[in-house]
Amino acid sequence: MKKIIQLIIIAFSVVLFAQNDKIKFDKFLGKKAKVVIVKEYTFSKLYDYKINSQDFDSIAVKPYFINIPEKVLTKKYLTNLQANKKDSILFALNLSYKLSIDIQGKRYIFIKYRVLKENQKEKYQVLIVSRENSIWVEHIPKKVELNLIKSVLLNSSINLLYEFYNTSNNPKYPEINKLKSATKSGNLLDIIKLEKVLRENQSTLKKYLDN
Amino acid sequence: MKHLLTLLLLFISIFVFSQQTENSNIILGYSQQQDLYFYEYQPRLKIKAFLKKQSQAKNEYPEELVQSVLSARTQEWVNYNTLGGETKASQKDDTHFKRVKKMNKDKNYFELHHKLIFKIDGVETAIIKFFLIQENEQPISGAMFMQKINNRWYVTSRSDMSMFVILIMRIKSEVLEGALFGNSKNIEITNLYKKISSENGIDLKAFEKEFFDWYLPENSSKKELFIDPKTW
């Protein structure tokens, strides 16, 4: 009898000990809720080239050779720019504005520009550049996010972006004031919402774009 | 007087020009609808440092990672638990590791209260509220932020989530559940749910904003109702 009791106590201790360090980790599953998560870019800045038009940077008539994002743009049109003569400028790049933004730890520069060729203005384009081994190079976007931002720039002017971003309403822009709340998530300008608003209201907002 | 006026105009132009050459900040981002899973550990789950070797730490589940964090008795093991390894892991000294080996495992453990699981940029993420229970010490509250990469959970951090992690640590479990599901019988919690919910789901940024407001003097009753008094 004494031995049976001892065996029972040992068996009980083994079971108790086993429970102490054996947890079924796969059982803590939880209930599902729907949430909206807002992601804010840690760095995003706009630069207006036109403000400095009295300087040099809004019109490029020759290639740049220093390692700056704009060099990548002039390299794209190197032959055309090199053909310019001092008294005969037939080709120029009109830089409108750029957005510098950090996406998942990497700095991207979006440059909105257009070609001016023989006094004709071509349509606006956006060049994306990023830094690879300290050198600025063109980045061909594959991510949806980059194409979304590109679309925002193509359908806006820097002034339009500021007016959408500002919390106070400017009476000069009644159409923007009406659409503003549809572009925000909290205080930030939501690029997914903004892209949709810009795309769906192109005719209304056309007058605020660069000519 | 004429010279003074000219100088003043020149100064203003220089000032304005230099201001306009600067980049302007603009806060950009985007919102995404997500599924989020809430789990309350009832009864509170005690995670003890029963692992003796790093090889025992599979870290396939968030709670396994918690156990691995508590059990880690070498710097290599601490690095193993941390996203980024050695470069990101906190450096522990020998005194700490000796304490881990010698401590009474039944009297020094993590007590888990609730957990959230969701995705950030497609990466599975969890936040677990816990108390560190130590022999002869007051319990200390904490929240562990972790992400799953290649089927293994790692301790990590994200600056854009730091406020939300503090919210999860400080909030009572029943308030969190009521705010996420609108299933509380308490009218204040139901009002909170109504304030932060929309057709797309619970707005976590709005939830953060409400959390900040509880600390205003006029909201002391909400703070008392919503915040766990045992947390820091």
Side-chain angles (χ1 to χ4, degrees), chain B residues 214-227:
Chain B
W214 301 339
Y215 288 88
L216 296 171
E218 60 265 31
N219 290 329
S220 55
S221 58
K222 281 188 185 167
K223 185 178 161 217
E224 212 175 293
L225 179 64
F226 297 153
I227 299 292

Side-chain angles (χ1 to χ4, degrees), chain B residues 114-137:
Chain B
H114 54 245
K115 170 180 74 172
L116 295 184
I117 294 187
F118 52 100
K119 283 188 180 177
I120 300 176
D121 296 330
V123 179
E124 211 169 342
T125 303
I127 306 173
I128 296 184
K129 172 180 174 170
F130 66 87
F131 279 84
L132 172 62
I133 310 296
Q134 296 176 96
E135 203 171 351
N136 302 321
E137 303 265 358

Side-chain angles (χ1 to χ4, degrees), chain A residues 187-202:
Chain A
N187 286 336
L188 58 82
L189 200 48
D190 186 318
I191 57 154
I192 295 178
K193 293 179 181 177
L194 178 62
E195 192 275 336
K196 185 170 185 280
V197 163
L198 291 173
R199 187 169 25 89
E200 292 176 354
N201 296 278
Q202 279 186 17

Side-chain angles (χ1 to χ4, degrees), chain A residues 20 25 28 30-37 39 41 44-47 51 162 165 185 189-191, chain B residues 20-21 23-32 34-38 50 64 115 177 181 201-202 204:
Chain A
N20 274 350
F25 291 109
F28 307 113
K31 292 196 295 187
K32 190 163 85 170
K34 284 255 177 258
V35 297
V36 174
I37 294 181
K39 184 217 158 129
Y41 292 112
S44 50
K45 285 192 179 193
L46 286 171
Y47 178 81
I51 293 292
Y162 281 134
Y165 177 64
S185 286
L189 200 48
D190 186 318
I191 57 154
Chain B
Q20 288 173 339
T21 55
N23 288 309
S24 297
N25 276 337
I26 183 167
I27 304 175
L28 296 176
Y30 58 87
S31 56
Q32 283 182 324
Q34 295 262 354
D35 287 338
L36 174 145
Y37 292 86
F38 164 82
F50 285 127
E64 268 192 304
K115 170 180 74 172
E177 183 179 1
F181 299 101
I202 302 296
L204 296 187

Side-chain angles (χ1 to χ4, degrees), chain B residues 113-114 129-131 139-143 166-173 211 215 223 226-232:
Chain B
H113 283 225
H114 54 245
K129 172 180 174 170
F130 66 87
F131 279 84
I140 305 170
S141 64
I166 292 175
L167 187 168
I168 298 305
M169 181 195 67
R170 289 188 182 166
I171 199 168
K172 292 177 186 172
S173 300
F211 169 67
Y215 288 88
K223 185 178 161 217
F226 297 153
I227 299 292
D228 181 347
K230 293 180 187 153
T231 60
W232 59 263

Side-chain angles (χ1 to χ4, degrees), chain A residues 4-68:
Chain A
I4 291 170
I5 293 170
Q6 279 174 339
L7 274 168
I8 291 170
I9 292 170
I10 290 167
F12 185 73
S13 311
V14 167
V15 167
L16 191 63
F17 179 77
Q19 280 180 350
N20 274 350
D21 68 348
K22 281 283 179 222
I23 300 170
K24 285 190 187 315
F25 291 109
D26 57 352
K27 67 176 185 175
F28 307 113
L29 297 172
K31 292 196 295 187
K32 190 163 85 170
K34 284 255 177 258
V35 297
V36 174
I37 294 181
V38 174
K39 184 217 158 129
E40 181 181 319
Y41 292 112
T42 52
F43 181 93
S44 50
K45 285 192 179 193
L46 286 171
Y47 178 81
D48 188 352
Y49 290 105
K50 296 190 297 301
I51 293 292
N52 273 336
S53 59
Q54 66 214 61
D55 207 305
F56 70 92
D57 63 358
S58 75
I59 300 285
V61 296
K62 54 185 179 183
Y64 298 149
F65 294 107
I66 50 172
N67 184 28
I68 55 173

